[in-house]
Amino acid sequence: MGDMTNSDFYSKNQRNESSHGGEFGCTMEELRSLMELRGTEAVVKIKETYGDTEAICRRLKTSPVEGCATAQGGAEDEGEAEAGWIEGAAILLSVICVVLVTAFNDWSKEKQFRGLQSRIEQEQKFTVVRAGQVVQIPVAEIVVGDIAQIKYGDLLPADGLFIQGNDLKIDESSLTGESDQVRKSVDKDPMLLSGTHVMEGSGRMVVTAVGVNSQTGIIFTLLGAGGEEEEKKDKKGVKKGDGLQLPAVDGAAPANAAGSANASLVNGKMQDGSADSSQSKAKQQDGAAAMEMQPLKSAEGGDADDKKKANMHKKEKSVLQGKLTKLAVQIGKAGLVMSAITVIILVLYFTVDTFVVNKKPWLTECTPVYVQYFVKFFIIGVTVLVVAVPEGLPLAVTISLAYSVKKMMKDNNLVRHLDACETMGNATAICSDKTGTLTTNRMTVVQAYVGDVHYKEIPDPSSINAKTMELLVNAIAINSAYTTKILPPEKEGALPRQVGNKTECGLLGFVLDLKQDYEPVRSQMPEEKLYKVYTFNSVRKSMSTVIKMPDESFRMYSKGASEIVLKKCCKILSGAGEPRVFRPRDRDEMVKKVIEPMACDGLRTICVAYRDFPSSPEPDWDNENDILNELTCICVVGIEDPVRPEVPEAIRKCQRAGITVRMVTGDNINTARAIAIKCGIIHPGEDFLCLEGKEFNRRIRNEKGEIEQERIDKIWPKLRVLARSSPTDKHTLVKGIIDSTHTEQRQVVAVTGDGTNDGPALKKADVGFAMGIAGTDVAKEASDIILTDDNFSSIVKAVMWGRNVYDSISKFLQFQLTVNVVAVIVAFTGACITQDSPLKAVQMLWVNLIMDTFASLALATEPPTETLLLRKPYGRNKPLISRTMMKNILGHAVYQLTLIFTLLFVGEKMFQIDSGRNAPLHSPPSEHYTIIFNTFVMMQLFNEINARKIHGERNVFDGIFRNPIFCTIVLGTFAIQIVIVQFGGKPFSCSPLQLDQWMWCIFIGLGELVWGQVIATIPTSRLKFLKEAGRLTQKEEIPEEELNEDVEEIDHAERELRRGQILWFRGLNRIQTQIRVVKAFRSSLYEGLEKPESRTSIHNFMAHPEFRIEDSQPHIPLIDDTDLEEDAALKQNSSPPSSLNKNNSAIDSGINLTTDTSKSATSSSPGSPIHSLETSL
C-alpha cells in the first residue's frame, strides 16, 4: 500500500463525492455498503437492486465505453500561494548575521524539499476514459463514475465494479491477508478494491468509491481515529485544539455528506474543518498527508525526523563532519591555551611593573583604574580566543553544501539529506541497477530473422514479402494490450513516448520502423471483438489472441520467449511468404545460428507466430496445450534496452576517479554481461567476476546457511556484475562491502534503486540514489538523493559536487587558518611586549566574523571542474589539512608576521608619524595602528585569491571569472574596508589615512601573490617536519547520549507504525513455525542424501566439477592456499566474528522492535520467503 501516497487524494475525492450526492440515481451510502460485499453475494445484490453493471453506470451518469461526459475533477491544488556599548553591539550584530544566514539556508532547503514532495504526489497518474478519450489523470482527480482502465502491475486507487476485460487476477493480500490471487469476472466476482494489485490480465472498471469511502480509506479512517485516541492518552488529558470528527458514515442524506466534506484529514487524524468551504479547501491542501501510509514519515515531517532516522541507521558522522569536529577541537584547545597565557602574562607584567619595579603602593582610590586595566587585559585574552577559533567554519560548510545542493538540482540531483552531497565525494563504489539507469528503459528491436534471412539491423520494408508483412503487422498490432501505444514525443526532438508494456512498445516500434501503421488494424478489430485472449503470465511466457475471420474460421496470433514458442512451431514462413515444414533439426540449427548470437549481443529474443483453426467443429479453447501448438513461425526479433549514449563515458570517468562501478540486476547473466561490456564496466581480458544471485549466495554462506563476512571479502573486490539478483542479495552485497575490513580505507558505497524492494539497500548504503521518474515512493523515501532524470551520468555530477564541497572547505580552511595564526600571534606578542594588542577587539571581529563569513561564501561557491575527477577519493584517513596546505598556511603566516612586526616596531619611522605603542588607556586611535590594521586586511584580501588553489597549482587566477560571487565579494570587502578606515573613527579605533599610506598598504598586500609563487616553488616533500591536521583515525561515533535522545524522539512518532509491526511479526512467527516444521522434515531427507560425500569443506567444493563457475572469465579458485593460512592465523588471533546478522532482517532495516519479536524475526532462515518479506520491511 506504500504506493498510495497521494496526500490530497482522499480528502479531495471525499468532497467530490459528497457534493455530487443528490443528482445521481444512487447514494454514496448505498455504494459503500455494496462495496463491502464479496463474490456471489455482491452479484446477487447487484442483480436485485440495480439489474446489472450497465444500470449502475447509467445511474452514475457514465457510459462503459465513453466514460464520464465531463471530467468532474477535484479542486486544483492552489499550492502554498499565500564607546563601550559599540564593541558589545558589534559583537552581537556579527553573531546575529551568522545565525540568520544559517537559518535562512535551512529554511530554503526545507522549502525545496516540500516542493519536491508535492511534485512527487502530483505525478501519480491513472488511465481513465472520459468523453470517449483515454486520458491519464492524477489519482486525486478520479471521481465516482469514472471508467478506469486497469492492467497488469497496477495498484488500484479506488473501489469499483469490473465491467469488461479478460483473465483478470487480483492480489488482495493487502486487504484480506490471503496470498492466493483472486480471479475476477463480471458474473462471478466483479468487486475490485482499492489498495489491491492487478497480477494478471487487463480490463475496465467503473469507479464506485474513492477516498475515505473506499475500502482502504475506511481502514485509514479507523487508523486515524485510533491514532487520535492514542495521542490523547499520551498527553494525559492535555486538551487538543481540535475535536475529533469522523466523516458522516451513517445516513445517506446529502446534508450529512456535506458535513463530511469539511472534515479534512490531517496527518492521519481527523480535524474539524470550519463550515467555510474555502478554508476547508486550504486545510485539505495543506496537510491531507494523512492517507499516505508513508513508510518513513509524513510529507510535513520535513527533514528533521529524517536526519534522526539517518543517525539511527548510520550512527556514524559523515567523513567531513568527523574531520571538522576533530580539527575544531584541536584549534579550540590551542586558542584557549594561547588566550590564557596572554591574560596571565599581561596581568603579571602589569603587577610586577607597577608594584615591584616602580614600588607603587595599592591605593584605595586607584582601585577602579587597576580594575579597568585588568578588564582590558581580559578583553584582549577573549579577543585572542575569538580570533583563534574559526567561527566562519560551520557557516562555510553550510553555505558550501547549500550552494552545491541548489546547483545539483540543475544537474538533476535532488538532495534530500545535506551530508549525502559531501559523502558522495568520498564514494569508492557504486552499485547500479541496469534497467533505466544504465539503459534507456525503452525496448527497441535491433535484429530480426524474417523469411529465412537474419537482418543485423531493421530490414528495408521492400525486402520483406507482402504476405509476410501483413501477417507480421496484424500479429503484433492485435496480439498486444490495446493500452500499449506509441505516442508522438512531448518535446521537439525527443523520442516518441512509449505507453504501456515496454516489450510490446518495442514490437510496435518495429512495425513503425517498417513504415507500417498499427492503428488501422486495431480500429478494424477493436478490443471488444477479440474472441479469446490468453494473457501473458510468468508460467505461459507467451501471449495469444484469437480472432474470428470474415469466413467464420478462427486465427490465433501468438508471441513470446523464442525458446518456448519455437518448440510449439511445426512450420515457418519462407522468403516467398509460404509456410514450410520446420523440423526439430531446423530448430536446433536456428537456435545455434540465430538465437544464440542474438543472446550473446545481450538481446532478448521474441518469436511471433500464428495458427489457423476451422470454423467447425469449434476448438476447445480451454484446452491450452492443444491450442498453443502446431504454430507457424512468422519471425524472430531481437529486442534490447539500449545503453544510454552518455553512460560509457560517465563510467570511464568514475573508473578514472577511483570509483568501482558494479551492476546489480535481475536480468539474466548473458544480457547483463553484454550490457556491462557495452558500458565499460568490464573489459575483456580483465580479472573480474560475473555471478548470478544463486552462485553468489552459495559462495558467501557457510554450511549452516549463514552469511560470513570473510567469504564476502573474497568475492566483492573482483565482483563486477551480479545478475538474477534478489533485493536481498543487493542488500547483502552493500552491507558486505560497507562492513568489510579488507581494505585499509572503509569503502563508501552508493546504491541506485527504483523499486519498493530496493528500500533496504538504499537505506543501508552511505548514499542512496532513487530514480525520480521510475522510482516508487518507498524507494524515494529511503534515498538520500533523487535522480530526477533517472540517468547514471547524473551520479558522476554528484561525485563531482561532493568532491567540490570537500575542496571548497579545504580552501576556506587554508585561508581562515592563515588569518587565525597571524592574528593570534600578533595579538599575543603585541600584548606581551606593548601591553596592548595592535589589533583591537572590534577590528578582530570585522576580520574574523564578517570578512571570513564572506570569504566562506566566496570560496565555498567555486564551481566544480572536470579535474576533480582525475584524483582518487580522499577516504577517511586522509587529513583535512594536507602537507601542501600546511606549507601554504605557515608560509603566508611568516610573510604576514614579518611585515606586521616590522610595521609595529619601525612603522612610525617609515611613515614619519607618531608611534601608537604604549598609548594611555583612553587615547584616541592612532594612524600607526590603523596602518597595521589596514595592511593586515589587504594581505588577507590578496591571500583569499591564493587560497583558491590547495594542491600547489601556480595559476591562482585560473577560472576566477567563472565565479562572479568571488569577484563581487573581494571587491565588496575592499570597498567596506575603505569606509571603515576613513570613516570608522572611534568604534573601529581607526584614524583616516593619506593616499600614499593607502598605496603602501595595497602594495604590501599585493606582495602576497608574489610570495605565493615563491611558496609554490618549495617542494613539499622536503618539508618533512610539517604535520597534517584533522585526520580521522577511527570511525567517529555519535555519542551515546545523542543517540538516546534520538531514540526517545522516535518513540512517539513511530508508535503508530509499531503496533502494526508487532501484529505483523506475530503473523510472521506463525508462518515461521510452520516453515521450520517443514524444514525439519526436509533436512532429515537431505541428510540422507548428503552423507556419501559431505560437502562441508571448501576443498570438496573445488573437487566437484559441477560447482565450478562456468563463466567467460578465467577460473578463479575460491580460496588461495595463502588465504587459508592467513585465515587460520586470523582465527587464532581473533574471537569468532561478532554474530554476523544471519539475515538482514527487520532489525537491520532501521526498525527498532521490542526484543522478543526481533529474536523471532532473526531466526527465519535466509532462504525463506519470510526473509525477503522482512528485508522489504
Side-chain angles (χ1 to χ4, degrees):
M1 268 194 253
D3 288 355
M4 297 208 58
T5 51
N6 203 303
S7 59
D8 306 335
F9 178 51
Y10 295 89
S11 52
K12 277 191 189 170
N13 283 345
Q14 190 184 340
R15 192 163 63 240
N16 298 342
E17 280 189 40
S18 45
S19 53
H20 297 311
E23 327 152 10
F24 295 107
C26 53
T27 62
M28 182 174 80
E29 217 30 64
E30 289 171 12
L31 286 175
R32 198 164 148 166
S33 55
L34 170 66
M35 290 317 292
E36 277 161 14
L37 301 174
R38 300 280 175 274
T40 40
E41 293 176 30
V43 179
V44 172
K45 170 88 173 166
I46 292 173
K47 282 218 173 83
E48 286 173 3
T49 320
Y50 304 101
D52 58 359
T53 44
E54 295 266 329
I56 294 183
C57 290
R58 279 197 297 282
R59 289 199 188 193
L60 292 172
K61 307 199 172 165
T62 181
S63 125
V65 182
E66 295 288 306
C68 292
T70 52
Q72 318 138 321
E76 275 305 301
D77 209 332
E78 290 101 23
E80 295 171 276
E82 325 208 79
W85 65 271
I86 293 174
E87 286 199 6
I91 294 173
L92 272 176
L93 192 72
S94 39
V95 171
I96 287 169
C97 280
V98 175
V99 170
L100 284 178
V101 172
T102 319
F104 176 76
N105 267 326
D106 288 354
W107 172 79
S108 57
K109 187 175 122 269
E110 175 69 16
K111 192 165 153 231
Q112 187 185 2
F113 179 70
R114 289 273 179 91
L116 155 81
Q117 203 67 22
S118 57
R119 221 176 68 205
I120 291 175
E121 281 160 10
Q122 285 155 14
E123 275 168 8
Q124 245 186 316
K125 299 266 175 64
F126 206 78
T127 314
V128 298
V129 181
R130 284 187 174 173
Q133 293 289 314
V134 176
V135 287
Q136 282 207 328
I137 58 165
V139 175
E141 290 177 17
I142 294 178
V143 292
V144 173
D146 261 330
I147 303 297
Q149 289 198 345
I150 50 178
K151 60 180 186 311
Y152 165 74
D154 282 345
L155 178 105
L156 301 183
D159 292 357
L161 296 174
F162 186 45
I163 47 177
Q164 172 250 317
N166 37 45
D167 230 2
L168 191 70
K169 285 189 186 161
I170 305 281
D171 170 12
E172 293 188 351
S173 58
S174 57
L175 282 182
T176 59
E178 283 179 33
S179 54
D180 287 349
Q181 292 171 12
V182 184
R183 180 185 280 273
K184 297 288 178 186
S185 62
V186 182
D187 43 3
K188 298 224 174 62
D189 180 3
M191 315 307 275
L192 300 175
L193 309 172
S194 57
T196 57
H197 281 271
V198 182
M199 301 312 281
E200 263 187 47
S202 60
R204 291 181 175 194
M205 70 167 188
V206 55
V207 176
T208 55
V210 291
V212 261
N213 297 301
S214 66
Q215 291 305 300
T216 314
I218 292 168
I219 294 171
F220 274 139
T221 312
L222 299 173
L223 269 182
E228 188 92 336
E229 307 287 302
E230 279 292 297
E231 207 154 287
K232 281 192 180 148
K233 278 181 208 155
D234 277 0
K235 299 227 168 156
K236 297 202 173 70
V238 176
K239 192 170 172 294
K240 286 285 284 172
D242 272 339
L244 172 65
Q245 179 191 332
L246 280 167
V249 175
D250 42 41
N256 267 11
S260 84
N262 284 338
S264 94
L265 264 165
V266 181
N267 275 351
K269 305 168 190 71
M270 309 300 302
Q271 277 197 357
D272 197 292
S274 70
D276 178 44
S277 65
S278 69
Q279 222 171 338
S280 81
K281 211 179 274 181
K283 249 192 190 170
Q284 279 150 351
Q285 270 137 16
D286 202 31
M291 294 317 217
E292 2 180 346
M293 211 160 138
Q294 276 206 343
L296 297 174
K297 60 173 210 287
S298 75
E300 311 300 88
D303 241 351
D305 28 342
D306 236 87
K307 274 274 162 47
K308 296 197 183 95
K309 298 262 190 337
N311 278 355
M312 279 303 296
H313 117 81
K314 301 220 166 125
K315 288 207 179 140
E316 223 181 89
K317 294 186 178 175
S318 75
V319 182
L320 187 66
Q321 261 179 334
K323 290 179 180 177
L324 282 174
T325 316
K326 205 148 186 188
L327 188 70
V329 170
Q330 289 169 347
I331 295 173
K333 283 179 186 163
L336 204 59
V337 172
M338 286 295 274
S339 65
I341 294 175
T342 313
V343 175
I344 293 166
I345 288 181
L346 282 172
V347 173
L348 282 177
Y349 189 97
F350 175 73
T351 42
V352 169
D353 187 56
T354 314
F355 302 119
V356 180
V357 180
N358 295 334
K359 298 196 168 61
K360 286 185 185 167
W362 181 296
L363 298 169
T364 343
E365 58 267 27
C366 292
T367 307
V369 181
Y370 296 147
V371 168
Q372 269 187 318
Y373 266 108
F374 288 136
V375 167
K376 180 183 159 190
F377 298 152
F378 181 70
I379 286 181
I380 292 172
V382 171
T383 309
V384 172
L385 178 62
V386 165
V387 172
V389 179
E391 285 86 352
L393 195 56
L395 187 71
V397 178
T398 314
I399 289 179
S400 182
L401 287 173
Y403 173 77
S404 305
V405 165
K406 206 175 167 75
K407 290 287 184 197
M408 282 168 82
M409 190 67 202
K410 291 201 175 84
D411 283 338
N412 303 312
N413 281 292
L414 197 137
V415 181
R416 293 181 64 231
H417 301 144
L418 268 183
D419 52 355
C421 163
E422 163 262 313
T423 313
M424 206 46 219
N426 285 309
T428 53
I430 296 176
C431 296
S432 173
D433 270 0
K434 176 178 76 75
T435 314
T437 314
L438 298 174
T439 59
T440 54
N441 199 11
R442 295 175 61 86
M443 290 296 184
T444 3
V445 173
V446 285
Q447 295 187 19
Y449 179 87
V450 191
D452 297 340
V453 188
H454 184 178
Y455 297 95
K456 291 284 189 184
E457 54 239 1
I458 300 290
D460 187 81
S462 56
S463 62
I464 296 177
N465 179 288
K467 261 197 265 178
T468 311
M469 183 69 97
E470 190 193 351
L471 273 169
L472 180 63
V473 173
N474 281 348
I476 292 176
I478 294 172
N479 185 28
S480 58
Y482 277 36
T483 49
T484 304
K485 297 187 182 65
I486 293 190
L487 303 174
E490 284 175 339
K491 293 195 202 85
E492 276 292 307
L495 295 165
R497 282 180 299 152
Q498 296 189 341
V499 181
N501 179 306
K502 297 282 178 208
T503 309
E504 289 182 351
C505 285
L507 289 168
L508 291 175
F510 179 52
V511 170
L512 297 177
D513 289 339
L514 292 173
K515 310 279 185 289
Q516 306 295 316
D517 192 2
Y518 61 89
E519 283 295 350
V521 181
R522 284 186 172 180
S523 45
Q524 215 174 344
M525 178 62 65
E527 211 170 349
E528 299 82 56
K529 283 199 190 164
L530 300 181
Y531 197 79
K532 170 87 181 148
V533 178
Y534 299 96
T535 53
F536 183 89
N537 65 22
S538 50
V539 181
R540 284 192 195 118
K541 289 261 169 69
S542 67
M543 169 180 179
S544 310
T545 305
V546 182
I547 58 170
K548 213 168 189 174
M549 303 297 279
D551 61 358
E552 294 296 310
S553 66
F554 299 99
R555 174 172 288 174
M556 178 180 76
Y557 293 114
S558 203
K559 68 162 190 281
S562 54
E563 62 273 17
I564 307 245
V565 179
L566 276 178
K567 280 189 187 132
K568 299 177 175 166
C569 289
C570 61
K571 291 181 181 165
I572 187 166
L573 290 182
S574 65
E578 296 302 327
R580 64 178 169 80
V581 179
F582 184 60
R583 294 183 294 273
R585 194 175 63 228
D586 303 331
R587 184 169 67 234
D588 296 342
E589 191 176 340
M590 186 160 166
V591 167
K592 237 195 240 89
K593 295 258 178 74
V594 179
I595 291 171
E596 278 178 4
M598 281 187 184
C600 289
D601 289 341
L603 306 185
R604 183 191 296 178
T605 51
I606 286 181
C607 176
V608 180
Y610 77 102
R611 178 182 177 184
D612 286 326
F613 295 97
S615 54
S616 64
E618 187 173 326
D620 172 12
W621 299 115
D622 291 334
N623 184 350
E624 265 186 57
N625 291 341
D626 290 355
I627 300 288
L628 293 176
N629 222 330
E630 297 179 15
L631 306 174
T632 307
C633 171
I634 304 173
C635 72
V636 172
V637 293
I639 289 190
E640 79 166 346
D641 185 359
V643 172
R644 287 177 179 261
E646 62 279 3
V647 162
E649 174 59 19
I651 286 181
R652 212 174 60 247
K653 282 182 187 165
C654 281
Q655 289 164 342
R656 203 172 53 215
I659 301 169
T660 312
V661 182
R662 295 184 172 82
M663 182 203 287
V664 183
T665 175
D667 220 327
N668 70 53
I669 193 143
N670 291 330
T671 312
R673 196 186 289 114
I675 298 280
I677 290 172
K678 282 180 190 162
C679 291
I681 291 178
I682 52 183
H683 302 286
E686 270 186 5
D687 182 12
F688 56 77
L689 278 174
C690 293
L691 293 181
E692 288 204 342
K694 270 194 199 137
E695 174 65 14
F696 172 70
N697 270 310
R698 192 180 66 70
R699 288 196 188 191
I700 61 170
R701 294 177 191 275
N702 60 15
E703 296 77 55
K704 293 182 192 154
E706 295 162 352
I707 296 170
E708 284 188 3
Q709 186 62 42
E710 293 144 41
R711 290 176 178 234
I712 297 183
D713 285 348
K714 293 196 174 67
I715 292 176
W716 73 257
K718 287 182 177 172
L719 182 69
R720 290 294 175 275
V721 176
L722 184 58
R724 286 274 179 245
S725 67
S726 68
T728 321
D729 296 340
K730 193 172 185 174
H731 182 260
T732 309
L733 176 66
V734 172
K735 187 172 182 299
I737 298 180
I738 289 179
D739 294 347
S740 171
T741 48
H742 182 77
T743 46
E744 74 270 23
Q745 299 273 6
R746 165 165 120 52
Q747 295 279 310
V748 177
V749 185
V751 170
T752 67
D754 51 7
T756 305
N757 45 19
D758 290 329
L762 288 170
K763 204 92 192 104
K764 179 69 196 161
D766 295 283
V767 182
F769 285 92
M771 301 296 140
I773 302 168
T776 59
D777 296 359
V778 178
K780 288 178 187 170
E781 260 329 312
S783 68
D784 301 295
I785 298 181
I786 294 175
L787 296 178
T788 49
D789 62 345
D790 288 14
N791 192 338
F792 186 84
S793 60
S794 302
I795 299 179
V796 181
K797 298 252 178 63
V799 172
M800 219 155 81
W801 276 107
R803 292 185 173 191
N804 192 50
V805 166
Y806 197 98
D807 279 9
S808 296
I809 287 162
S810 298
K811 287 172 190 174
F812 172 69
L813 270 175
Q814 179 174 302
F815 167 74
Q816 168 89 54
L817 291 181
T818 313
V819 179
N820 290 15
V821 169
V822 175
V824 167
I825 294 176
V826 168
F828 176 69
T829 33
C832 296
I833 296 170
T834 68
Q835 254 64 156
D836 187 8
S837 164
L839 298 171
K840 301 288 178 286
V842 176
Q843 295 175 350
M844 288 288 205
L845 277 164
W846 156 243
V847 171
N848 214 29
L849 279 179
I850 307 302
M851 264 184 66
D852 291 358
T853 303
F854 282 137
S856 67
L857 190 60
L859 291 167
T861 51
E862 289 273 313
T865 55
E866 289 283 330
T867 47
L868 287 169
L869 293 175
L870 297 177
R871 62 170 174 78
K872 300 274 178 278
Y874 283 143
R876 288 185 166 270
N877 307 355
K878 183 168 186 314
L880 202 54
I881 297 173
S882 62
R883 278 229 175 116
T884 313
M885 285 167 64
M886 205 49 124
K887 176 184 77 174
N888 291 344
I889 291 171
L890 295 179
H892 287 293
V894 168
Y895 173 82
Q896 296 184 10
L897 285 170
T898 314
L899 281 160
I900 285 176
F901 283 136
T902 311
L903 286 175
L904 180 59
F905 296 114
V906 292
E908 71 272 25
K909 297 193 184 77
M910 289 162 57
F911 288 104
Q912 279 114 36
I913 46 176
D914 297 335
S915 164
R917 292 193 302 281
N918 301 331
L921 251 186
H922 295 294
S923 53
S926 65
E927 275 189 345
H928 182 193
Y929 274 17
T930 308
I931 289 176
I932 293 177
F933 166 59
N934 201 20
T935 311
F936 179 65
V937 172
M938 287 303 127
M939 290 196 288
Q940 302 321 329
L941 265 182
F942 287 103
N943 194 28
E944 200 167 320
I945 300 173
N946 278 330
R948 291 184 65 246
K949 301 292 173 211
I950 49 174
H951 298 300
E953 298 94 329
R954 281 201 174 274
N955 182 4
V956 289
F957 291 101
D958 177 35
I960 193 165
F961 295 114
R962 283 220 316 277
N963 187 0
I965 300 182
F966 184 86
C967 306
T968 320
I969 283 175
V970 171
L971 295 171
T973 316
F974 183 61
I976 300 173
Q977 177 65 17
I978 295 176
V979 174
I980 287 177
V981 171
Q982 297 306 93
F983 310 105
K986 188 93 173 125
F988 281 95
S989 319
C990 288
S991 104
L993 300 181
Q994 261 78 50
L995 186 63
D996 60 331
Q997 292 166 337
W998 264 103
M999 283 302 143
W1000 275 107
C1001 295
I1002 293 173
F1003 177 69
I1004 294 172
L1006 273 167
E1008 268 287 348
L1009 295 174
V1010 183
W1011 185 248
Q1013 296 301 314
V1014 176
I1015 294 178
T1017 319
I1018 307 169
T1020 315
S1021 52
R1022 292 278 171 82
L1023 308 171
K1024 289 275 184 278
F1025 61 88
L1026 286 181
K1027 283 275 177 285
E1028 302 151 326
R1031 175 195 286 277
L1032 250 194
T1033 40
Q1034 77 293 356
K1035 293 181 187 177
E1036 286 277 315
E1037 299 291 328
I1038 285 170
E1040 274 303 305
E1041 311 87 83
E1042 284 184 36
L1043 269 179
N1044 293 347
E1045 285 168 27
D1046 288 346
V1047 176
E1048 274 304 287
E1049 296 185 34
I1050 282 183
D1051 271 1
H1052 305 295
E1054 287 204 343
R1055 193 156 296 159
E1056 227 47 311
L1057 245 168
R1058 296 271 165 83
R1059 291 214 316 279
Q1061 274 163 9
I1062 290 164
L1063 286 172
W1064 169 244
F1065 274 102
R1066 276 187 205 152
L1068 277 187
N1069 264 356
R1070 283 192 192 156
I1071 306 174
Q1072 273 164 10
T1073 324
Q1074 291 161 1
I1075 284 182
R1076 251 179 251 135
V1077 174
V1078 176
K1079 282 252 164 70
F1081 280 115
R1082 262 205 210 152
S1083 60
S1084 56
L1085 271 173
Y1086 283 143
E1087 274 162 20
L1089 293 173
E1090 281 282 324
K1091 286 271 160 52
E1093 26 171 75
S1094 137
R1095 287 253 161 96
T1096 45
S1097 90
I1098 294 189
H1099 290 287
N1100 283 9
F1101 272 154
M1102 293 313 295
H1104 296 290
E1106 69 269 33
F1107 277 107
R1108 290 246 178 85
I1109 318 113
E1110 290 301 337
D1111 230 327
S1112 72
Q1113 78 267 24
H1115 286 307
I1116 300 155
L1118 283 176
I1119 285 188
D1120 294 339
D1121 299 336
T1122 51
D1123 280 1
L1124 275 176
E1125 287 158 26
E1126 280 170 28
D1127 264 81
L1130 269 176
K1131 278 187 184 120
Q1132 288 162 0
N1133 297 344
S1134 63
S1135 59
S1138 56
S1139 69
L1140 275 160
N1141 202 343
K1142 283 186 195 139
N1143 54 2
N1144 320 307
S1145 69
I1147 314 163
D1148 219 84
S1149 1
I1151 301 170
N1152 297 10
L1153 300 156
T1154 41
T1155 35
D1156 51 328
T1157 52
S1158 67
K1159 272 182 204 134
S1160 62
T1162 331
S1163 55
S1164 86
S1165 87
S1168 71
I1170 315 301
H1171 169 232
S1172 57
L1173 278 176
E1174 288 164 327
T1175 351
S1176 61
L1177 244 185

